[in-house]
Amino acid sequence: MNGQAVPPDDQNHSHAHEGAGHEEPKAFQRDVFGTRLGFILAAVGSAVGLGNMWRFPYATSKSGGAAFVVLYIGMVFLVGIPVMLAEFSVGRGTRLSPIGALRKAGGRGWSPLGWLFVAAGFLILSYYSVIAGWVLRYLVDAIFVGFPTDLASYFGEVTSGIQPIVYHLIFMGLTVAIVMGGIEKGIERASFFMMPTLFLTVVGLAIWAATLDGAGAGYAFYLHTDFAAILDPKVLADAAAQAFFSLSLGMGAMLTFSSYLSKHENLPRESSIISFADFGVAFLAGLVVFPVVFALGLQDEVTNTSSAIGALFISIPGAFIKMGAVGRVVGALFFTVLFVGALTSAISLLEVVTASLIDEFGVARKKAAVGMGVIIALLGILPAESLGSLDAMDGLASGVFLPLGGLALAVLVGWVMKAPLDEVKRGIGPRLSRILPAWLWILRILVPAALAIVLWQTVPEAWQKLVSLFGGG
Ligand code: TRP
């Protein structure tokens, strides 16, 4: 690869041509993103998903409205962007997927953390795909037959018996098909097509929602302020956990994507762009959800449903039904956005697992993607059949595994790695270079402290869910 001419428009088309010197010879050529934009769209695709459209508005309305939004933005800046940058520096620095990357960056003792990342990917994808399967079922029905009026029993039907398994398997099949195609021809191409569709549709929906009668009341509720909530450690933990899940951090998804990225790109800039885009879509989702719900007077249903699942799958479609023909079109668009978001996120989860198999054991990509896809699909049958186990798996993965992974990563990059700034310094200007030590100190002190607070809240919660699952049958 060395010695090739760098293309003139290298800013945008930074293929795998590296400057001489820092590249190790490889027996086979590693996949790469064809363009910088392709990488950004794929990473944003990973970040934007069910977490944005479904958890974020719900979490905001539950815990303090605008206060939560402010706290969330703070978490994105102080914890999210620094950890994403840490993942990028390890991923692009080593050009390996998590297991090998952590071994190379920290030494042998760190490879178990890589295995934890792969396990988290397994676990998250197995239930994420189940929810995505419900979304697919809703989408198909919204297009072809419209939602039935009794949504509570419709939701019950969609989530029990053979149906959730069938749609979960279809969704896993689509995910595997894209990951089999590789980075440039599979993931990058799919993101190029899907992400702009998603953005335009969400913006369109938000504009339409602004014209509804209840829009003002919806915004007021969404952004009402309860600033006392900021001081509640539970809310703080929720905001940090939400930021981690939404930005796809803590299990090496961003790490793996960046291992396919050119050395010319500016990592701090990319991590900021990706985080802003992710926040933007989450915020826009709230601007769609709340006007819709308030226009139809369904606000009590949303706040009274005990879970976010209910808010998304029962109350919001309920609002669409009341809107008649318009609601049918808007409902189909809304579930299209959810579906596309879920698919581009699922790709990144499967890629972590697949890439690890390729890098660690030399398995061919197609075989690795199909094999892992099948195992995850089987594991998903459990959450497909039991909402309690889905909830417990989510509590364990997003509440415990991700913050733990982020904490370990911050320690690795902040305290263990020998020259943690070297990789990040590539492709950035002298101004930015000078403030990089601040990033390192954030990783050393602030991130571990924040994540310790999160874990202190979430570990007992996750434990409780597991106990009641096994105890309560
Ligand atoms: N970020 C995605 C969402 O908001 C979910 C997701 C994709 C994810 N890849 C991940 C979460 C890796 C944690 C880790 O829906």
Side-chain angles (χ1 to χ4, degrees):
M1 295 199 322
N2 286 341
Q4 279 180 22
V6 173
D9 54 347
D10 190 52
Q11 270 306 326
N12 302 314
H13 296 272
S14 35
H15 233 106
H17 315 296
E18 301 301 344
H22 33 255
E23 199 65 2
E24 284 168 28
K26 277 268 155 72
F28 63 97
Q29 186 157 359
R30 189 171 171 76
D31 261 346
V32 283
F33 281 104
T35 61
R36 173 181 166 229
L37 184 63
F39 165 75
I40 292 181
L41 290 177
V44 173
S46 168
V48 171
L50 298 171
N52 302 60
M53 303 297 296
W54 162 48
R55 274 206 211 198
F56 180 80
Y58 178 78
T60 304
S61 72
K62 279 246 151 164
S63 16
F68 182 84
V69 176
V70 171
L71 206 57
Y72 180 80
I73 295 175
M75 284 300 160
V76 168
F77 268 97
L78 288 175
V79 181
I81 295 178
V83 172
M84 193 184 291
L85 193 51
E87 290 209 15
F88 284 170
S89 69
V90 173
R92 196 182 62 174
T94 59
R95 298 231 136 157
L96 288 168
S97 47
I99 300 171
L102 294 175
R103 187 193 300 123
K104 196 163 162 186
R108 291 239 142 241
W110 283 84
S111 63
L113 183 65
W115 286 99
L116 178 77
F117 283 2
V118 174
F122 253 87
L123 199 63
I124 295 176
L125 185 52
S126 73
Y127 70 82
Y128 199 84
S129 163
V130 170
I131 303 173
W134 306 341
V135 168
L136 179 58
R137 168 71 200 269
Y138 269 64
L139 175 60
V140 169
D141 283 354
I143 294 174
F144 295 106
V145 292
F147 299 125
T149 32
D150 184 359
L151 276 157
S153 56
Y154 173 64
F155 180 62
E157 190 191 304
V158 168
T159 55
S160 56
I162 191 78
Q163 301 236 18
I165 298 180
V166 170
Y167 283 90
H168 152 67
L169 293 180
I170 296 173
F171 183 82
M172 277 306 298
L174 291 170
T175 308
V176 168
I178 295 171
V179 172
M180 273 170 69
I183 298 305
E184 190 170 358
K185 298 218 172 60
I187 296 178
E188 184 167 358
R189 202 181 270 175
S191 307
F192 253 118
F193 162 70
M194 291 197 281
M195 291 317 288
T197 310
L198 185 151
F199 274 120
L200 292 177
T201 314
V202 182
V203 170
L205 285 172
I207 292 172
W208 163 79
T211 67
L212 295 172
D213 271 342
Y219 296 147
F221 175 74
Y222 181 28
L223 302 170
H224 78 279
T225 40
D226 171 10
F227 276 103
I230 288 195
L231 299 173
D232 181 348
K234 168 101 183 66
V235 176
L236 189 86
D238 283 351
Q242 171 64 24
F244 251 63
F245 187 84
S246 190
L247 295 172
S248 300
L249 298 176
M251 55 143 287
M254 292 297 176
L255 185 159
T256 304
F257 271 4
S258 70
S259 73
Y260 307 115
L261 180 65
S262 149
K263 294 278 185 191
H264 302 288
E265 308 305 350
N266 178 331
L267 297 178
R269 180 187 59 190
E270 313 310 33
S271 57
S272 310
I273 292 174
I274 294 160
S275 302
F276 272 111
D278 182 64
F279 171 73
V281 174
F283 190 74
L284 274 172
L287 295 181
V288 177
V289 167
F290 292 105
V292 168
V293 166
F294 272 77
L296 279 301
L298 296 172
Q299 53 273 28
D300 291 342
E301 265 184 55
V302 175
T303 32
N304 291 342
T305 20
S306 56
S307 69
I309 296 177
L312 182 66
F313 288 99
I314 298 174
S315 311
I316 298 170
F320 292 144
I321 288 179
K322 292 199 181 171
M323 291 176 185
V326 175
R328 180 118 174 232
V329 175
V330 173
L333 289 174
F334 184 81
F335 279 94
T336 303
V337 169
L338 275 167
F339 175 72
V340 169
L343 187 56
T344 50
S345 296
I347 290 169
S348 73
L349 289 160
L350 185 60
E351 177 59 27
V352 172
V353 179
T354 303
S356 304
L357 215 59
I358 297 173
D359 290 344
E360 287 298 301
F361 305 106
V363 180
R365 171 170 285 273
K366 289 199 169 67
K367 264 196 201 147
V370 173
M372 292 297 102
V374 167
I375 298 174
I376 293 169
L378 290 176
L379 184 61
I381 291 175
L382 179 69
E385 292 304 293
S386 135
L387 292 186
S389 67
L390 190 155
D391 199 37
M393 287 161 90
D394 181 49
L396 187 65
S398 67
V400 181
F401 280 20
L402 299 182
L404 203 63
L407 188 117
L409 213 77
V411 170
L412 171 67
V413 176
W415 297 100
V416 179
M417 267 168 69
K418 294 229 171 53
L421 295 181
D422 284 3
E423 184 60 32
V424 183
K425 277 192 178 143
R426 282 179 218 283
I428 71 175
R431 278 268 259 343
L432 200 54
S433 255
R434 244 177 284 137
I435 60 165
L436 276 185
W439 165 66
L440 211 53
W441 282 103
I442 290 175
L443 274 188
R444 284 179 179 157
I445 312 270
L446 207 118
V447 169
L451 292 177
I453 296 177
V454 172
L455 286 164
W456 169 55
Q457 296 288 325
T458 54
V459 168
E461 271 171 37
W463 179 248
Q464 214 40 56
K465 281 180 186 171
L466 286 171
V467 167
S468 68
L469 183 64
F470 292 110

